[in-house]
Amino acid sequence: MTTSRGRSPSPRAAVRYTVSVLSAHAHLFAITLRVQSAAKNQRVSLPVWIPGSYLVREFSQHLQNLGAWQDGQPAELKQLDKHRWQVRCEAGKPLELRYEVYAFDASVRTAFLDATRGFFNATSLCLQVLGQEDQPHALEIEPGPATEGWQVATGLSPHRVDADGFGHYRARDYDELADCPVEMGRFWSGRFTAAGVEHRFVVSGAGAWMDGARLLEDTRRVCEAQIALWHGQGGEKPPFDRYVFMLYASGDGYGGLEHRNSTALICQRSDLPRQRAPGEKPAPLKATDGYTTLLGLISHEYFHTWNVKRLRPAEFARYDYNAENHTELLWFFEGFTSYYDDLMLRRAGLIDEACYLQLVAKTLNQVRQTPGRLVQTVAQASFDAWVKYYRVGENTPNATVSYYTKGALVALCLDLTLRAEGHSSLDAVMRELWQRCKGGPMREADLLRALKRLGKRGFEGEIAAWVHSTAELPLPSLLQEAGAKVTHEKAPLAQQLGLRVAEVNGSVLLKNVLRGGAAEAAGMAPGDEWLGIELPAPRRGGAAEAWRIHKLDEVAELRGLQPSLTALVSRDRRLLRCTLHWPTESQTVRLAVGDAVRLALWLQE
């Protein structure tokens, strides 16, 4: 038996949960909730969203067979709305509720269970006891036949757990319980120390070929770089005494969700580092490598430990789990984190300058190819995340801009401007905000004050133009001044035509038709299947030519030099002809190393 290290004994929990596997094959968790001292007619609720993922997800849809007991007798339950219930009970006495939750969502946001693995966030499994959210909570993870040979990993403080991690955990309140997901299964596990703090990394679903030692070492270097950014070399300790990375390697998945001392991650299994032959050196990482993407994800979620989990929008000072929590600051908390995630890979020495600049160019081109950037400001995109960013449709790129990507470019603009003017850097601004807001709630005004103090002038004009308007960002000139070489190259055909397509089994399916593009002018629409093209007669008196296409690039090959063609599309089983006028050539930005000395002042700080 083990107990939490370096902690005083926890008070008896007012709210206790026991979680066990009811049926792995039916994907059912069984939960028992015990309330030490219930209120009269106690109310309980299940959150409708999880912090960090800004969409109402209705977790209560998976809750079933809810029952309540007091004094050993059934207590009457009344459902009040989609996620709240009231128990007819007496005040001051213990109350017990038992229920089941269906768990078969392999994302980082909810809960999953089968015969190989279990995972859950408390927001999906643990009913809130209304009025007692600030009381000490306890969670027991109960072993059973279905979990034979399994282990448990979580950021929760252990109270009485066995060698595999099953047993009792404590949380100061419901918020802490909700912020510590649980991974269960036969996973790979490793540990490292960064800045004197123990970090655990568990990977579920990996093949025996995974190079765990490399994963640990590369992650350690990222963590060391970030701790140094926030607290300085050999400075104060990070705001946690241990940290857990929980990675699920799947056949085709990607995502992450940040927590106060842990993160849940998903990657494609093929993105994991592979073991090398003895003496074989790892090849330099490229921007297109899946492992580079995985390291960027790890870096992103770890950076959130400071930027959004502690330093957070004032609107998030206290989460309301019952409804949307709006803020205009996601461009800062998600966007600035997106700026630093890849930059920390460079600072940690995991990628070189050329690779990093390719990643910046990718973000820059993504924003430039989004017509919604001219429709919605990045502050509005932050506020509308609940109804636009997380509800992706065929018109999404025309109506909104990503606060991740444009927010990252705003951070880049500020960093390069501060450095060009010679007074400070964005690193110093982030540290100033951490100290000014005491690692807690902040407002845009706090950022402006930090910029003014460190930058020696006001930045209201830049924030107004870059955040609260749809004006283009002055990145080409800033990047060149910082030592990057900015060139342009021919854009892919889909971008030239104003399309986003999927090529499936020999069919070209239109996913998005971008605002102001040639495809929109031709009358093409999302959902169309582009079957072929018709070309005018090649010579006078001849017949028009019609060609079947199976890939988009065939359009350019077949059109020759014709200024227009007729696109043959299928829409709702009707065959339509759309006259497509070939656009002037569009370009994408390409970044490379220009002045290596100036570039190093930015990238190797």
Side-chain angles (χ1 to χ4, degrees):
M1 306 291 281
T2 62
T3 60
S4 56
R5 293 168 296 169
R7 296 176 182 269
S8 58
S10 301
R12 180 173 173 80
V15 179
R16 294 174 291 148
Y17 305 86
T18 299
V19 173
S20 60
V21 173
L22 178 63
S23 172
H25 296 307
H27 319 294
L28 289 173
F29 282 110
I31 301 94
T32 300
L33 165 59
R34 297 177 179 89
V35 184
Q36 184 176 325
S37 180
K40 181 177 176 61
N41 297 330
Q42 178 69 61
R43 292 187 176 191
V44 296
S45 69
L46 195 66
V48 303
W49 71 290
I50 182 169
S53 184
Y54 307 106
L55 179 67
V56 170
R57 297 187 182 275
E58 314 294 18
F59 298 134
S60 61
Q61 66 183 297
H62 298 303
L63 189 150
Q64 63 189 45
N65 289 332
L66 177 62
W69 289 262
Q70 191 174 54
D71 290 331
Q73 298 298 315
E76 181 183 340
L77 268 168
K78 179 181 180 181
Q79 186 162 0
L80 303 176
D81 54 29
K82 64 183 180 181
H83 71 120
R84 293 186 305 153
W85 294 262
Q86 180 171 284
V87 186
R88 187 173 181 180
C89 62
E90 296 182 38
K93 292 184 175 182
L95 175 68
E96 181 173 292
L97 292 91
R98 296 196 292 268
Y99 55 97
E100 302 155 11
V101 171
Y102 175 77
F104 202 55
D105 180 348
S107 77
V108 296
R109 301 176 296 263
T110 52
F112 178 86
L113 178 65
D114 68 6
T116 66
R117 167 180 184 259
F119 172 83
F120 65 87
N121 291 281
T123 44
S124 291
L125 259 64
C126 297
L127 288 164
Q128 282 183 286
V129 181
L130 301 184
Q132 300 199 38
E133 299 93 334
D134 295 331
Q135 296 297 313
H137 284 54
L139 173 68
E140 180 186 6
I141 305 171
E142 197 171 62
T147 63
E148 185 70 30
W150 286 17
Q151 291 179 285
V152 173
T154 179
L156 284 170
S157 298
H159 180 57
R160 292 192 307 274
V161 301
D162 65 21
D164 292 322
F166 288 95
H168 298 261
Y169 294 84
R170 292 289 176 90
R172 286 185 294 273
D173 49 32
Y174 186 85
D175 280 341
E176 183 176 7
L177 180 72
D179 211 11
C180 294
V182 174
E183 176 75 30
M184 307 162 59
R186 294 182 179 89
F187 47 68
W188 176 91
S189 179
R191 300 176 189 271
F192 63 86
T193 299
V197 175
E198 182 180 81
H199 292 62
R200 185 184 186 191
F201 206 128
V202 303
V203 184
S204 177
W209 42 260
M210 184 187 77
D211 188 345
R214 183 181 183 186
L215 181 63
L216 290 177
E217 172 58 17
D218 292 348
T219 302
R220 184 195 64 78
R221 291 166 66 176
V222 170
C223 296
E224 293 274 11
Q226 293 195 16
I227 293 169
L229 182 146
W230 285 102
H231 304 295
Q233 294 287 352
E236 62 182 287
K237 293 294 184 182
F240 48 85
D241 58 12
R242 57 197 173 82
Y243 193 92
V244 184
F245 293 94
M246 291 169 276
L247 173 62
Y248 172 49
S250 68
D252 184 18
Y254 176 82
L257 192 61
E258 68 276 1
H259 299 281
R260 64 182 64 192
N261 68 338
S262 65
T263 182
L265 308 162
I266 296 177
C267 75
Q268 293 186 35
R269 198 169 289 114
S270 58
D271 291 344
L272 293 170
R274 290 179 172 269
Q275 295 176 2
R276 301 179 302 278
E280 180 186 359
K281 294 183 179 180
L285 287 174
K286 296 181 290 187
T288 54
D289 289 343
Y291 185 48
T292 304
T293 301
L294 172 57
L295 289 174
L297 176 65
I298 290 169
S299 179
H300 183 99
E301 304 305 340
Y302 192 71
F303 198 86
H304 271 317
T305 309
W306 291 266
N307 196 40
V308 90
K309 294 314 302 182
R310 289 170 175 83
L311 189 65
R312 62 172 66 181
E315 296 88 346
F316 290 178
R318 182 67 184 264
Y319 292 124
D320 178 358
Y321 296 97
N322 301 306
E324 298 89 340
N325 292 213
H326 291 282
T327 177
E328 286 193 346
L329 285 175
L330 294 183
W331 60 269
F332 178 89
F333 289 98
E334 290 291 355
F336 280 39
T337 300
S338 295
Y339 169 60
Y340 275 106
D341 55 20
D342 289 333
L343 182 58
M344 288 295 102
L345 302 188
R346 175 67 206 111
R347 297 266 181 89
L350 298 175
I351 59 175
D352 60 19
E353 282 88 349
C355 179
Y356 175 70
L357 290 174
Q358 290 174 35
L359 293 170
V360 173
K362 179 182 177 181
T363 301
L364 180 56
N365 287 317
Q366 284 176 337
V367 174
R368 285 163 55 97
Q369 294 161 19
T370 303
R373 77 189 191 283
L374 304 175
V375 175
Q376 188 183 52
T377 72
V378 72
Q380 292 169 337
S382 299
F383 195 87
D384 285 342
W386 300 85
V387 294
K388 290 191 175 180
Y389 184 81
Y390 277 91
R391 296 189 186 276
V392 180
E394 73 281 351
N395 195 49
T396 295
N398 296 322
T400 188
V401 66
S402 167
Y403 48 79
Y404 285 90
T405 52
K406 186 172 182 183
L409 297 184
V410 170
L412 175 57
C413 284
L414 283 173
D415 198 8
L416 296 185
T417 299
L418 288 164
R419 292 173 184 276
E421 294 179 1
H423 296 298
S424 193
S425 69
L426 192 59
D427 294 0
V429 170
M430 300 303 285
R431 287 190 290 268
E432 169 84 1
L433 285 169
W434 179 258
Q435 296 297 329
R436 173 185 291 275
C437 300
K438 296 179 172 56
M442 65 160 276
R443 302 180 185 275
E444 186 177 298
D446 295 305
L447 172 62
L448 288 169
R449 282 193 287 269
L451 287 168
K452 184 174 184 178
R453 194 183 84 78
L454 296 172
K456 309 301 183 184
R457 68 170 179 86
F459 278 75
E460 289 83 359
E462 283 84 356
I463 296 300
W466 301 343
V467 174
H468 297 287
S469 87
T470 57
E472 299 284 20
L473 300 175
L475 273 169
S477 58
L478 288 171
L479 285 163
Q480 287 185 129
E481 190 171 355
K485 181 180 179 182
V486 182
T487 58
H488 296 84
E489 57 189 15
K490 184 178 179 181
L493 180 59
Q495 181 184 333
Q496 294 188 54
L497 297 177
L499 287 173
R500 295 180 183 175
V501 304
E503 296 176 348
V504 182
N505 297 326
S507 296
V508 180
L509 305 177
L510 276 55
K511 295 169 56 180
N512 306 101
V513 176
L514 302 182
R515 190 62 35 80
E520 181 187 63
M524 303 173 83
D528 287 354
E529 181 183 0
W530 194 345
L531 300 173
I533 63 172
E534 286 183 347
L535 298 172
R539 49 189 172 277
R540 194 169 186 176
E545 295 181 350
W547 298 89
R548 179 75 166 92
I549 65 167
H550 299 283
K551 296 181 179 179
L552 187 63
D553 286 343
E554 294 173 353
V555 175
E557 297 170 1
L558 292 168
R559 83 168 183 101
L561 299 177
Q562 297 287 354
S564 65
L565 54 83
T566 299
L568 306 175
V569 303
S570 170
R571 183 184 307 163
D572 192 25
R573 297 191 178 185
R574 297 180 64 191
L575 298 181
L576 304 176
R577 287 180 166 83
C578 301
T579 302
L580 179 68
H581 296 282
W582 206 256
T584 55
E585 185 175 294
S586 59
Q587 296 182 320
T588 60
V589 172
R590 187 175 183 274
L591 300 178
V593 176
D595 187 324
V597 174
R598 280 189 293 161
L599 202 60
L601 296 176
W602 162 35
L603 297 182
Q604 297 183 21
E605 182 169 303

mmCIF file of all heavy atoms in Angstrom, residues 389-424:
data_model
loop_
_atom_site.group_PDB
_atom_site.id
_atom_site.type_symbol
_atom_site.label_atom_id
_atom_site.label_comp_id
_atom_site.label_asym_id
_atom_site.label_seq_id
_atom_site.Cartn_x
_atom_site.Cartn_y
_atom_site.Cartn_z
ATOM 1 N N TYR A 389 -16.438 27.383 -34.211
ATOM 2 C CA TYR A 389 -15.205 26.622 -34.398
ATOM 3 C C TYR A 389 -15.415 25.135 -34.152
ATOM 4 O O TYR A 389 -14.884 24.293 -34.877
ATOM 5 C CB TYR A 389 -14.106 27.154 -33.470
ATOM 6 C CG TYR A 389 -12.782 26.458 -33.690
ATOM 7 C CD1 TYR A 389 -11.956 26.837 -34.746
ATOM 8 C CD2 TYR A 389 -12.371 25.405 -32.881
ATOM 9 C CE1 TYR A 389 -10.754 26.194 -34.975
ATOM 10 C CE2 TYR A 389 -11.167 24.758 -33.103
ATOM 11 C CZ TYR A 389 -10.366 25.155 -34.146
ATOM 12 O OH TYR A 389 -9.182 24.506 -34.390
ATOM 13 N N TYR A 390 -16.181 24.793 -33.122
ATOM 14 C CA TYR A 390 -16.379 23.383 -32.773
ATOM 15 C C TYR A 390 -17.588 22.761 -33.481
ATOM 16 O O TYR A 390 -17.895 21.599 -33.249
ATOM 17 C CB TYR A 390 -16.514 23.223 -31.259
ATOM 18 C CG TYR A 390 -15.178 23.173 -30.544
ATOM 19 C CD1 TYR A 390 -14.576 24.327 -30.073
ATOM 20 C CD2 TYR A 390 -14.508 21.971 -30.364
ATOM 21 C CE1 TYR A 390 -13.342 24.277 -29.426
ATOM 22 C CE2 TYR A 390 -13.281 21.915 -29.722
ATOM 23 C CZ TYR A 390 -12.705 23.072 -29.261
ATOM 24 O OH TYR A 390 -11.487 23.016 -28.632
ATOM 25 N N ARG A 391 -18.268 23.547 -34.294
ATOM 26 C CA ARG A 391 -19.371 22.990 -35.093
ATOM 27 C C ARG A 391 -19.008 23.174 -36.566
ATOM 28 O O ARG A 391 -19.534 24.050 -37.256
ATOM 29 C CB ARG A 391 -20.689 23.684 -34.752
ATOM 30 C CG ARG A 391 -21.128 23.441 -33.307
ATOM 31 C CD ARG A 391 -22.530 23.957 -33.050
ATOM 32 N NE ARG A 391 -22.907 23.850 -31.651
ATOM 33 C CZ ARG A 391 -23.401 22.764 -31.083
ATOM 34 N NH1 ARG A 391 -23.571 21.673 -31.817
ATOM 35 N NH2 ARG A 391 -23.724 22.744 -29.798
ATOM 36 N N VAL A 392 -18.111 22.337 -37.002
ATOM 37 C CA VAL A 392 -17.542 22.479 -38.339
ATOM 38 C C VAL A 392 -18.563 22.076 -39.398
ATOM 39 O O VAL A 392 -19.209 21.023 -39.300
ATOM 40 C CB VAL A 392 -16.271 21.628 -38.469
ATOM 41 C CG1 VAL A 392 -15.673 21.761 -39.858
ATOM 42 C CG2 VAL A 392 -15.253 22.048 -37.411
ATOM 43 N N GLY A 393 -18.711 22.928 -40.411
ATOM 44 C CA GLY A 393 -19.586 22.636 -41.537
ATOM 45 C C GLY A 393 -18.927 23.052 -42.826
ATOM 46 O O GLY A 393 -17.777 23.525 -42.848
ATOM 47 N N GLU A 394 -19.659 22.899 -43.923
ATOM 48 C CA GLU A 394 -19.073 23.197 -45.226
ATOM 49 C C GLU A 394 -18.741 24.680 -45.390
ATOM 50 O O GLU A 394 -17.870 25.057 -46.171
ATOM 51 C CB GLU A 394 -20.010 22.735 -46.348
ATOM 52 C CG GLU A 394 -21.263 23.587 -46.550
ATOM 53 C CD GLU A 394 -22.350 23.281 -45.532
ATOM 54 O OE1 GLU A 394 -22.205 22.291 -44.779
ATOM 55 O OE2 GLU A 394 -23.354 24.015 -45.513
ATOM 56 N N ASN A 395 -19.415 25.569 -44.607
ATOM 57 C CA ASN A 395 -19.162 26.997 -44.742
ATOM 58 C C ASN A 395 -18.200 27.533 -43.691
ATOM 59 O O ASN A 395 -17.895 28.730 -43.673
ATOM 60 C CB ASN A 395 -20.486 27.770 -44.650
ATOM 61 C CG ASN A 395 -20.360 29.202 -45.128
ATOM 62 O OD1 ASN A 395 -19.827 29.459 -46.206
ATOM 63 N ND2 ASN A 395 -20.829 30.145 -44.329
ATOM 64 N N THR A 396 -17.676 26.671 -42.827
ATOM 65 C CA THR A 396 -16.809 27.127 -41.743
ATOM 66 C C THR A 396 -15.633 27.970 -42.214
ATOM 67 O O THR A 396 -15.384 29.054 -41.661
ATOM 68 C CB THR A 396 -16.310 25.924 -40.920
ATOM 69 O OG1 THR A 396 -17.432 25.311 -40.271
ATOM 70 C CG2 THR A 396 -15.300 26.348 -39.873
ATOM 71 N N PRO A 397 -14.857 27.558 -43.216
ATOM 72 C CA PRO A 397 -13.709 28.396 -43.607
ATOM 73 C C PRO A 397 -14.107 29.747 -44.178
ATOM 74 O O PRO A 397 -13.281 30.666 -44.217
ATOM 75 C CB PRO A 397 -12.984 27.542 -44.655
ATOM 76 C CG PRO A 397 -13.992 26.560 -45.135
ATOM 77 C CD PRO A 397 -14.895 26.293 -43.985
ATOM 78 N N ASN A 398 -15.358 29.895 -44.628
ATOM 79 C CA ASN A 398 -15.819 31.167 -45.163
ATOM 80 C C ASN A 398 -16.344 32.109 -44.091
ATOM 81 O O ASN A 398 -16.479 33.314 -44.334
ATOM 82 C CB ASN A 398 -16.935 30.942 -46.192
ATOM 83 C CG ASN A 398 -16.465 30.183 -47.399
ATOM 84 O OD1 ASN A 398 -15.340 30.385 -47.863
ATOM 85 N ND2 ASN A 398 -17.298 29.296 -47.922
ATOM 86 N N ALA A 399 -16.670 31.572 -42.906
ATOM 87 C CA ALA A 399 -17.365 32.362 -41.901
ATOM 88 C C ALA A 399 -16.537 32.666 -40.664
ATOM 89 O O ALA A 399 -16.865 33.594 -39.922
ATOM 90 C CB ALA A 399 -18.647 31.627 -41.475
ATOM 91 N N THR A 400 -15.479 31.913 -40.440
ATOM 92 C CA THR A 400 -14.722 32.095 -39.201
ATOM 93 C C THR A 400 -13.238 31.882 -39.456
ATOM 94 O O THR A 400 -12.836 31.358 -40.503
ATOM 95 C CB THR A 400 -15.222 31.134 -38.106
ATOM 96 O OG1 THR A 400 -14.606 31.452 -36.864
ATOM 97 C CG2 THR A 400 -14.919 29.690 -38.463
ATOM 98 N N VAL A 401 -12.438 32.301 -38.487
ATOM 99 C CA VAL A 401 -10.995 32.087 -38.542
ATOM 100 C C VAL A 401 -10.597 31.350 -37.277
ATOM 101 O O VAL A 401 -11.228 31.506 -36.228
ATOM 102 C CB VAL A 401 -10.248 33.439 -38.662
ATOM 103 C CG1 VAL A 401 -10.430 34.291 -37.408
ATOM 104 C CG2 VAL A 401 -8.772 33.235 -38.966
ATOM 105 N N SER A 402 -9.585 30.523 -37.364
ATOM 106 C CA SER A 402 -9.146 29.746 -36.207
ATOM 107 C C SER A 402 -8.397 30.638 -35.229
ATOM 108 O O SER A 402 -7.413 31.294 -35.586
ATOM 109 C CB SER A 402 -8.235 28.601 -36.655
ATOM 110 O OG SER A 402 -7.567 28.031 -35.548
ATOM 111 N N TYR A 403 -8.843 30.649 -33.976
ATOM 112 C CA TYR A 403 -8.102 31.406 -32.963
ATOM 113 C C TYR A 403 -6.797 30.700 -32.601
ATOM 114 O O TYR A 403 -5.920 31.308 -31.991
ATOM 115 C CB TYR A 403 -8.957 31.633 -31.715
ATOM 116 C CG TYR A 403 -9.657 30.417 -31.165
ATOM 117 C CD1 TYR A 403 -8.980 29.479 -30.395
ATOM 118 C CD2 TYR A 403 -11.012 30.199 -31.412
ATOM 119 C CE1 TYR A 403 -9.621 28.364 -29.886
ATOM 120 C CE2 TYR A 403 -11.669 29.090 -30.902
ATOM 121 C CZ TYR A 403 -10.970 28.175 -30.143
ATOM 122 O OH TYR A 403 -11.602 27.065 -29.637
ATOM 123 N N TYR A 404 -6.651 29.434 -32.975
ATOM 124 C CA TYR A 404 -5.370 28.755 -32.807
ATOM 125 C C TYR A 404 -4.333 29.334 -33.782
ATOM 126 O O TYR A 404 -3.263 29.787 -33.364
ATOM 127 C CB TYR A 404 -5.505 27.261 -33.088
ATOM 128 C CG TYR A 404 -6.177 26.445 -32.018
ATOM 129 C CD1 TYR A 404 -7.554 26.246 -32.025
ATOM 130 C CD2 TYR A 404 -5.444 25.840 -31.015
ATOM 131 C CE1 TYR A 404 -8.185 25.480 -31.059
ATOM 132 C CE2 TYR A 404 -6.054 25.063 -30.035
ATOM 133 C CZ TYR A 404 -7.425 24.894 -30.063
ATOM 134 O OH TYR A 404 -8.038 24.123 -29.092
ATOM 135 N N THR A 405 -4.639 29.269 -35.071
ATOM 136 C CA THR A 405 -3.647 29.647 -36.074
ATOM 137 C C THR A 405 -3.455 31.156 -36.157
ATOM 138 O O THR A 405 -2.320 31.641 -36.135
ATOM 139 C CB THR A 405 -4.025 29.083 -37.445
ATOM 140 O OG1 THR A 405 -5.385 29.455 -37.758
ATOM 141 C CG2 THR A 405 -3.903 27.570 -37.464
ATOM 142 N N LYS A 406 -4.551 31.932 -36.233
ATOM 143 C CA LYS A 406 -4.350 33.376 -36.297
ATOM 144 C C LYS A 406 -3.828 33.892 -34.963
ATOM 145 O O LYS A 406 -2.998 34.814 -34.926
ATOM 146 C CB LYS A 406 -5.628 34.120 -36.685
ATOM 147 C CG LYS A 406 -5.344 35.604 -36.898
ATOM 148 C CD LYS A 406 -6.475 36.401 -37.470
ATOM 149 C CE LYS A 406 -6.038 37.842 -37.670
ATOM 150 N NZ LYS A 406 -7.142 38.697 -38.177
ATOM 151 N N GLY A 407 -4.273 33.316 -33.856
ATOM 152 C CA GLY A 407 -3.731 33.714 -32.560
ATOM 153 C C GLY A 407 -2.227 33.473 -32.486
ATOM 154 O O GLY A 407 -1.480 34.280 -31.918
ATOM 155 N N ALA A 408 -1.761 32.370 -33.067
ATOM 156 C CA ALA A 408 -0.325 32.093 -33.103
ATOM 157 C C ALA A 408 0.413 33.151 -33.912
ATOM 158 O O ALA A 408 1.522 33.576 -33.543
ATOM 159 C CB ALA A 408 -0.072 30.704 -33.695
ATOM 160 N N LEU A 409 -0.202 33.605 -35.000
ATOM 161 C CA LEU A 409 0.430 34.637 -35.823
ATOM 162 C C LEU A 409 0.420 35.991 -35.130
ATOM 163 O O LEU A 409 1.356 36.782 -35.297
ATOM 164 C CB LEU A 409 -0.264 34.718 -37.186
ATOM 165 C CG LEU A 409 -0.179 33.457 -38.050
ATOM 166 C CD1 LEU A 409 -0.813 33.700 -39.407
ATOM 167 C CD2 LEU A 409 1.266 32.989 -38.213
ATOM 168 N N VAL A 410 -0.608 36.274 -34.341
ATOM 169 C CA VAL A 410 -0.608 37.499 -33.544
ATOM 170 C C VAL A 410 0.548 37.462 -32.545
ATOM 171 O O VAL A 410 1.270 38.456 -32.355
ATOM 172 C CB VAL A 410 -1.955 37.681 -32.817
ATOM 173 C CG1 VAL A 410 -1.878 38.825 -31.797
ATOM 174 C CG2 VAL A 410 -3.078 37.954 -33.813
ATOM 175 N N ALA A 411 0.738 36.313 -31.893
ATOM 176 C CA ALA A 411 1.862 36.164 -30.970
ATOM 177 C C ALA A 411 3.188 36.378 -31.694
ATOM 178 O O ALA A 411 4.102 37.048 -31.181
ATOM 179 C CB ALA A 411 1.822 34.782 -30.323
ATOM 180 N N LEU A 412 3.317 35.810 -32.880
ATOM 181 C CA LEU A 412 4.534 35.967 -33.677
ATOM 182 C C LEU A 412 4.769 37.438 -34.007
ATOM 183 O O LEU A 412 5.897 37.942 -33.889
ATOM 184 C CB LEU A 412 4.421 35.130 -34.954
ATOM 185 C CG LEU A 412 5.544 35.249 -35.977
ATOM 186 C CD1 LEU A 412 6.890 34.906 -35.362
ATOM 187 C CD2 LEU A 412 5.253 34.349 -37.178
ATOM 188 N N CYS A 413 3.713 38.160 -34.413
ATOM 189 C CA CYS A 413 3.840 39.585 -34.719
ATOM 190 C C CYS A 413 4.319 40.370 -33.494
ATOM 191 O O CYS A 413 5.200 41.234 -33.602
ATOM 192 C CB CYS A 413 2.495 40.146 -35.194
ATOM 193 S SG CYS A 413 2.052 39.719 -36.885
ATOM 194 N N LEU A 414 3.728 40.093 -32.350
ATOM 195 C CA LEU A 414 4.124 40.801 -31.139
ATOM 196 C C LEU A 414 5.569 40.487 -30.764
ATOM 197 O O LEU A 414 6.344 41.389 -30.399
ATOM 198 C CB LEU A 414 3.195 40.426 -29.983
ATOM 199 C CG LEU A 414 1.811 41.076 -29.986
ATOM 200 C CD1 LEU A 414 0.943 40.486 -28.884
ATOM 201 C CD2 LEU A 414 1.923 42.597 -29.815
ATOM 202 N N ASP A 415 5.948 39.224 -30.831
ATOM 203 C CA ASP A 415 7.309 38.830 -30.462
ATOM 204 C C ASP A 415 8.323 39.506 -31.365
ATOM 205 O O ASP A 415 9.310 40.104 -30.895
ATOM 206 C CB ASP A 415 7.442 37.313 -30.529
ATOM 207 C CG ASP A 415 8.650 36.793 -29.750
ATOM 208 O OD1 ASP A 415 9.297 37.587 -29.046
ATOM 209 O OD2 ASP A 415 8.918 35.580 -29.833
ATOM 210 N N LEU A 416 8.096 39.458 -32.677
ATOM 211 C CA LEU A 416 9.056 40.038 -33.609
ATOM 212 C C LEU A 416 9.084 41.556 -33.508
ATOM 213 O O LEU A 416 10.149 42.174 -33.677
ATOM 214 C CB LEU A 416 8.731 39.592 -35.039
ATOM 215 C CG LEU A 416 8.857 38.085 -35.311
ATOM 216 C CD1 LEU A 416 8.620 37.790 -36.780
ATOM 217 C CD2 LEU A 416 10.209 37.551 -34.860
ATOM 218 N N THR A 417 7.942 42.171 -33.227
ATOM 219 C CA THR A 417 7.907 43.629 -33.058
ATOM 220 C C THR A 417 8.675 44.048 -31.814
ATOM 221 O O THR A 417 9.477 44.992 -31.842
ATOM 222 C CB THR A 417 6.451 44.117 -32.976
ATOM 223 O OG1 THR A 417 5.760 43.785 -34.189
ATOM 224 C CG2 THR A 417 6.386 45.627 -32.767
ATOM 225 N N LEU A 418 8.435 43.365 -30.707
ATOM 226 C CA LEU A 418 9.160 43.671 -29.470
ATOM 227 C C LEU A 418 10.664 43.509 -29.664
ATOM 228 O O LEU A 418 11.466 44.335 -29.207
ATOM 229 C CB LEU A 418 8.676 42.758 -28.345
ATOM 230 C CG LEU A 418 7.274 43.041 -27.789
ATOM 231 C CD1 LEU A 418 6.782 41.846 -26.978
ATOM 232 C CD2 LEU A 418 7.271 44.303 -26.926
ATOM 233 N N ARG A 419 11.064 42.441 -30.332
ATOM 234 C CA ARG A 419 12.495 42.193 -30.536
ATOM 235 C C ARG A 419 13.102 43.222 -31.491
ATOM 236 O O ARG A 419 14.235 43.689 -31.274
ATOM 237 C CB ARG A 419 12.700 40.782 -31.077
ATOM 238 C CG ARG A 419 12.359 39.685 -30.071
ATOM 239 C CD ARG A 419 12.414 38.290 -30.693
ATOM 240 N NE ARG A 419 11.998 37.270 -29.741
ATOM 241 C CZ ARG A 419 12.788 36.709 -28.829
ATOM 242 N NH1 ARG A 419 14.072 37.075 -28.770
ATOM 243 N NH2 ARG A 419 12.333 35.792 -28.006
ATOM 244 N N ALA A 420 12.358 43.586 -32.552
ATOM 245 C CA ALA A 420 12.873 44.566 -33.515
ATOM 246 C C ALA A 420 13.077 45.931 -32.868
ATOM 247 O O ALA A 420 14.031 46.658 -33.203
ATOM 248 C CB ALA A 420 11.921 44.681 -34.699
ATOM 249 N N GLU A 421 12.214 46.286 -31.918
ATOM 250 C CA GLU A 421 12.328 47.579 -31.258
ATOM 251 C C GLU A 421 13.361 47.563 -30.142
ATOM 252 O O GLU A 421 13.713 48.620 -29.589
ATOM 253 C CB GLU A 421 10.961 48.015 -30.735
ATOM 254 C CG GLU A 421 9.976 48.289 -31.876
ATOM 255 C CD GLU A 421 8.592 48.704 -31.401
ATOM 256 O OE1 GLU A 421 8.372 48.802 -30.173
ATOM 257 O OE2 GLU A 421 7.724 48.939 -32.261
ATOM 258 N N GLY A 422 13.842 46.372 -29.776
ATOM 259 C CA GLY A 422 15.000 46.253 -28.910
ATOM 260 C C GLY A 422 14.767 46.400 -27.425
ATOM 261 O O GLY A 422 15.742 46.493 -26.659
ATOM 262 N N HIS A 423 13.509 46.383 -26.974
ATOM 263 C CA HIS A 423 13.263 46.584 -25.552
ATOM 264 C C HIS A 423 12.917 45.295 -24.809
ATOM 265 O O HIS A 423 13.180 45.191 -23.606
ATOM 266 C CB HIS A 423 12.131 47.596 -25.346
ATOM 267 C CG HIS A 423 12.454 48.962 -25.859
ATOM 268 N ND1 HIS A 423 13.488 49.720 -25.370
ATOM 269 C CD2 HIS A 423 11.877 49.701 -26.847
ATOM 270 C CE1 HIS A 423 13.533 50.881 -26.017
ATOM 271 N NE2 HIS A 423 12.589 50.884 -26.917
ATOM 272 N N SER A 424 12.299 44.328 -25.494
ATOM 273 C CA SER A 424 11.837 43.151 -24.775
ATOM 274 C C SER A 424 11.520 42.029 -25.752
ATOM 275 O O SER A 424 11.937 42.071 -26.920
ATOM 276 C CB SER A 424 10.592 43.502 -23.935
ATOM 277 O OG SER A 424 10.304 42.469 -23.021
#
